[in-house]
Structures are given as structure tokens and as C-alpha cells.
Amino acid sequence: MTGPSELRRDPAGVHWVIIAPERAKRPDEFEPRPLRKPGGSSAACPFCPGREDRTPPEVAAIRPSGSAPDGPGWNVRVVPNKFPAVGRPDRAAGAPSPGLFHSREGFGIHEVVIEAPDHGADFSSLSTVAAGAVVRTWRDRLRALEGEAAWAYVQLFKNHGREAGASLSHPHSQIVALPLVPGRIREEIDAAVRFRAEHGICLHCRVLAEEDAAGRRIILSDADHAVTAPFASRFPYEMHIHPRRHAARFAEIGDGEAEALGALFRTVLGRLRRSLEDPPFNLILHQAPARRPGDASAEEESLAYHWHFEILPVLTRAAGFEWATGIHINPVPPEKAAAVLRRDSA
Ligand SMILES: [Zn+2]
Ligand SMILES: [Zn+2]
Ligand SMILES: [Zn+2]
């Protein structure tokens, strides 16, 4: 598939954008607001069982009954995005164009993980086994794509609710493989590498130890994970999920860790849903890029960086000041957010 999009770098700075006009043609099942109500109709949903021919052929699926690909009988199904932000051009990616106006083809992979057959399901309503299967599928697809030399970084994310960018309400998440390491990831990794050079310890392990000791911003804590309302939360009720075991890469977790994480997501997303009446949110993974042979910095990065998920509720709108400065204005102190999300311990 030829990517109709383009990756562009700002000549004045460091950020990249994806120009993807084809994305404007996506189907949109939502009525224009209000949208807290039931999340759209299943009547034309291309992700529902029985409509497998409405998506490109699946690249992976969990089919307990052993049913044939691209038919019903699946619990989790992974398909290429029909309206990808990036595509795989027919020819290999050319060298980036020289000069000030630097661009390259929108080269990448864009997949959709359909998390459950039930259109009305929510992550928090899945069984523990089903939630664990979603997390295992995420891990397996990340591993598979990271195994391809073309991709420098593979991003997993989930948009829930229209204000968070979802165009279909059927529970799903997305994976985008890119030929570059995005600036935001690079910044976080570089900060962690600098911290370790100075203090000899992982920044995230240190932060976690201090948060554990203080307790005020801990939302949930168990043997394997801690969920915090981060000190400098950009958004009201922002949550970060940290594994207690130091590891730079989510893609290397074991099956047991995936099961435990699935159960944790059920709990945390259920609390968010109940406490804030099912708010729109984005869920994102941050991890170190896959190690490539001969990459001298990878060893240092794997000691310094610590994978985590960020859950970003969409309750406020970034406006002039945020866009101008990159400084978010958050009306809810994280200490209060933690208290609210801790209280609902159902
Ligand atoms: Zn559906
Ligand atoms: Zn660590
Ligand atoms: Zn992060």
C-alpha cells in the first residue's frame, strides 16, 4: 500500500508532523455531541464479528476455537488500518530529501487491535483472561514489528471517546511503526540517560521509590506495579502505570506479566470510568526502542530508561498558552486526583 501521507520536519525546530489527508475520509459513526451517551451504533461497525470482510485481511488473531482467519470466532483481532496515517510504499524508503524543507514519504505500518468481539465492551468489562490476551497481543505485535529493520520505533496507543480521537466506539487500540524515533520519546530517554550519568540509578526507579515513601500521589500499588498521579500532571486525573521491575522495554515482558498488567488495566480504567463518568482518554506506551546490532547507546538506554503507560483523560482543551509554550495548565492537583481515584477501590 502506498502511503498517501508525508512525514515533515519543521525547518525551524525539532518536531515532526504527519500530513495525512486521506484520514479525513474515515468513517465516523458518532453523532456530533453530546457523546458521553452510548458510544455510537454497531449497525455499520466494521470491527464487529461477521463483518471481517470490511477490514483488510487480519495479520494476527486469538481464535480459541481454531476458527479460520477473517471469519468470526476470534477474541482479539489485529488488522491493518484501512485509513492509515502511514503506509508501506511499494519501493524502499528513499533517503530523506536534503535542504531546509525536509520531508520523506509517510513510510510505516498502521495496525488496529480490535480488543473484543463485543461492540459495547469496555476494557474494564473484559474478563481478566480477555484483558490479559489484549496485553499479550500488544506485546506480540510490537515484538514482530520491532523485528523488522525498517522500523526505528513502534508506538502503541488507544483513543477512547470521540474527544480523544476515536472515530469508532468498538473497543480497539492502534499500533504505528515509524522509521524514526519520535522527539517526545527521545527527550524522555535522554533525560533518563543524563540522570543516570549523574546519580548512577534509573530516574524512574528513583521517582517510584520517592512516590512510594510519600504515598500522596499513589493511586494503586501491588507487588508488580504502581499507578501514580504524576507530580507534574499535564492533564486532570492523568495516571502513569509503572512496572516495579526495572526494564526499558514493554515488548520483553513475559506472559505472567502481561496477565497481571491486563488485570491492572481493568481495575484502573474501571475506576476512571466510574469516578469521572466514562471520560474520553488517550492511553500511550513509552518504552525504549528495540536494540539493533552495533547500537552503542542501547545498553545505556536499557539501564537508564523504564517503560510505562500514561493515561491522559481528555477533560480540558489545550489552548493558546499550551500551544505557545508547551506548558499545560491543569486545574486538578495530582494529589487530589490520586485521592479521588484511590477512594473508588471497587
Ligand atoms: Zn463493533
Ligand atoms: Zn527503573
Ligand atoms: Zn512517558
Side-chain angles (χ1 to χ4, degrees):
M1 186 191 309
T2 301
S5 66
E6 198 182 332
L7 284 163
R8 292 188 181 183
R9 192 176 66 193
D10 172 19
V14 293
H15 76 257
W16 288 81
V17 295
I18 297 173
I19 308 292
E22 285 288 314
R23 297 272 292 163
K25 297 179 191 161
R26 282 180 300 165
D28 189 336
E29 74 176 44
F30 287 107
E31 295 298 322
R33 275 156 232 263
L35 98 89
R36 295 287 161 78
K37 302 301 165 220
S41 146
S42 64
C45 174
F47 297 163
C48 277
R51 304 207 184 99
E52 287 77 7
D53 60 342
R54 303 256 202 103
T55 66
E58 69 195 38
V59 293
I62 295 186
R63 294 179 171 279
S65 60
S67 52
D70 296 317
W74 47 273
N75 285 359
V76 183
R77 186 164 179 259
V78 185
V79 298
N81 192 310
K82 204 168 175 180
F83 300 90
V86 285
R88 195 196 285 266
D90 298 330
R91 57 202 156 78
S97 55
L100 202 53
F101 296 101
H102 177 80
S103 80
R104 57 203 284 183
E105 273 176 297
F107 180 54
I109 298 280
H110 191 165
E111 295 181 347
V112 177
V113 180
I114 307 169
E115 296 167 348
D118 177 6
H119 185 86
D122 175 85
F123 211 106
S124 58
S125 69
L126 298 179
S127 69
T128 306
V129 171
V134 172
V135 175
R136 267 200 334 272
T137 303
W138 289 342
R139 177 201 64 190
D140 292 347
R141 285 313 298 155
L142 291 171
R143 274 188 193 168
L145 290 166
E146 288 175 347
E148 297 184 23
W151 314 129
Y153 197 75
V154 186
Q155 179 65 53
L156 165 69
F157 63 100
K158 177 177 172 68
N159 302 333
H160 173 81
R162 186 180 190 169
E163 288 104 330
S167 55
L168 293 168
S169 65
H170 195 119
H172 69 285
S173 37
Q174 303 179 63
I175 293 172
V176 172
L178 292 169
L180 53 88
V181 179
R184 180 75 211 289
I185 315 293
R186 200 66 271 163
E187 274 174 27
E188 274 201 10
I189 292 175
D190 289 350
V193 167
R194 280 197 304 275
F195 185 89
R196 188 168 178 278
E198 204 173 316
H199 301 277
I201 183 180
C202 161
L203 168 62
H204 297 259
C205 284
R206 168 66 66 81
V207 168
L208 204 46
E210 302 224 351
E211 291 291 13
D212 275 335
R216 293 194 303 154
R217 286 180 295 271
I218 298 281
I219 294 165
L220 193 155
S221 174
D222 64 24
D224 302 316
H225 305 97
V227 182
T228 63
F231 173 70
S233 291
R234 292 155 293 170
F235 308 100
Y237 303 96
E238 178 172 342
M239 289 191 265
H240 288 193
I241 297 176
H242 316 264
R244 291 197 174 279
R245 180 173 78 79
H246 177 88
R249 297 181 17 75
F250 162 81
E252 285 159 16
I253 65 171
D255 285 348
E257 288 171 291
E259 297 287 323
L261 191 57
L264 185 80
F265 272 121
R266 282 183 74 224
T267 304
V268 167
L269 295 175
R271 284 193 196 184
L272 190 66
R273 189 182 182 89
R274 286 188 302 272
S275 301
L276 299 171
E277 296 178 45
D278 191 20
F281 66 84
N282 300 110
L283 185 155
I284 61 178
L285 170 66
H286 277 159
Q287 63 165 349
R291 297 175 68 158
R292 303 288 181 214
D295 181 353
S297 58
E299 174 69 28
E300 181 53 34
E301 286 178 3
S302 72
L303 293 169
Y305 197 58
H306 196 130
W307 69 266
H308 55 276
F309 279 90
E310 302 184 5
I311 298 172
L312 311 171
V314 181
L315 299 164
T316 50
R317 188 184 283 271
F321 183 72
E322 284 85 351
W323 289 120
T325 61
I327 299 173
H328 290 263
I329 301 173
N330 176 0
V332 180
E335 294 76 15
K336 184 192 163 203
V340 169
L341 293 162
R342 208 166 34 225
R343 204 177 304 137
D344 177 5
S345 53

